[in-house]
Amino acid sequence: MGRAPCCDKANVKKGPWAPEEDARLKSYIEQHGFGGNWIALPQKIGLKRCGKSCRLRWLNYLRPNIKHGSFSEEEDNIICSLYISIGSRWSIIAAQLPGRTDNDIKNYWNTRLKKKLLGCKQRKDQNQQGRRAGASKQAEAKRDPENGNPPINACPSTYWPEASAVPMYPMSQVEQRADEENSSIRRLLMKLGGRLSSDNPLSVPPATSLLPLQQAYDASTASLMATSVQITDPLMTDFNPAELDEMFGCGSTKLEGLDCFYGLGNMVDDNSGGASTSDTVTWSEVSSLIYQPMVPSYQGVMQPCLFEEPVHLGGSQ
DNA sequence: AAATAGAACAACCGCATCTAG
DNA sequence: ACTAGATGCGGTTGTTCTATT
C-alpha cells in the first residue's frame, strides 16, 4: 500500500519562492500561526505550494531571528565537535546554534567543513607516509629553511596542526583501554539517557527524548546494557582522540558550546582513577567515551535531552 | 568578454516517527 | 491495537553565484 501524496503534485508550484509568496506566508503565520496543519495552510492563503514546502520555507528562511551569513570559528568548532560525537543529527546540532537552521548547518558542513577536514586529513596522512618513507622531495621543498619543519600553514584549515605534533596511541595501550572505555561509554549513555541507533532492535522508545534524565535513564538502561552502537562515518573512525584535541585547538581548553560535557572529566576519573580537573574537558576525555578508534562497534550517539535547551521532537509547534 | 568549473545555497524527496481517531 | 495522515529529519538534487582560465 503506497503512501498518499501529501499534496496534489500537479497543482503545486516548485522551485524558488517569489517575494510575494514569501510575504503572504510570512504575514499569515505571524498573524495566525500555521494553524496546526501545514498541509492545509497553502490553500488557506492561496499559495500553490506543498505544505511541506511552506513549512520548510518558514523554518529555514522566513522565521524571525534566522541568522544568515558566514559561520564564526566558534560555530565551526561546535558543529565539528557535535558532528563527531553525534553524527549527522542536524536538528540537534542546530539547537545548539541559535539562529541557525539544520538545513544551513547541513549545507555548511557538506560544502565547507567536511572538505576542510578531509582535505587536511589527506594532507596529514600524506605527510606521515612521506616521513615513514624518508620524506618526499616535495615535502622537503616545502620545509621551512630555518628549522627544517614544514610551514605551519601547510594546511589551510585552522583545525589541523602539523602532523608531527600529533601523538598516536600505541596499539597495545588502546587495546588495553578498550574494555574500560566500553563500560565508560555505556555508563555515560546510561547516565545521560542515551538513545541508540535506529538499527538497534532494542532501541528505547523515541518518547524518552523528552523525558527527564532520570526517566530516560530508567527507560534506556536495559537496552544499553545489552547492546552496543557503531561508528559508521569513515570521517569519524579515521581520527584518534589526540588528533581531535589538536584539530579543534582544545588541548587544554574547554570546548566552546559543549556545556553538556562539563563534568565529564569526573566521570572519566571515576572510571580510570585519573586526575583531570572537572571544569576542563578535552577531546581526549570526551571522545574516549564516545569515540572508539580501535573498537569499531561503538558510536557516540547522545540523547537530545543531554543538551541544555529542550529539543523539540515531533508534534505541533 | 565569454566559457567553464567549483562553491554555496535553496528546495525537494522519501523515509521514519508521531499522533489522533 | 491498528491505521491514516501529519510532521520532522536527513540525504540529495537543482539552481545561482563567483572565481578562474
Side-chain angles (χ1 to χ4, degrees), chain A residues 11-14 21 24 42-43 45-50 54:
Chain A
N11 292 318
V12 158
K13 186 184 170 192
K14 287 185 181 181
E21 292 177 303
R24 198 179 291 189
Q43 285 183 327
I45 59 179
L47 282 180
K48 289 189 173 182
R49 289 280 180 176
C50 173
C54 292

Side-chain angles (χ1 to χ4, degrees), chain A residues 62 101 127 135 178 181 185 190 199 287 294 299:
Chain A
L62 300 174
T101 68
N127 282 347
E181 292 176 342
I185 188 171
M190 282 187 277
D199 56 2
S287 56
M294 302 307 295
Q299 176 187 32

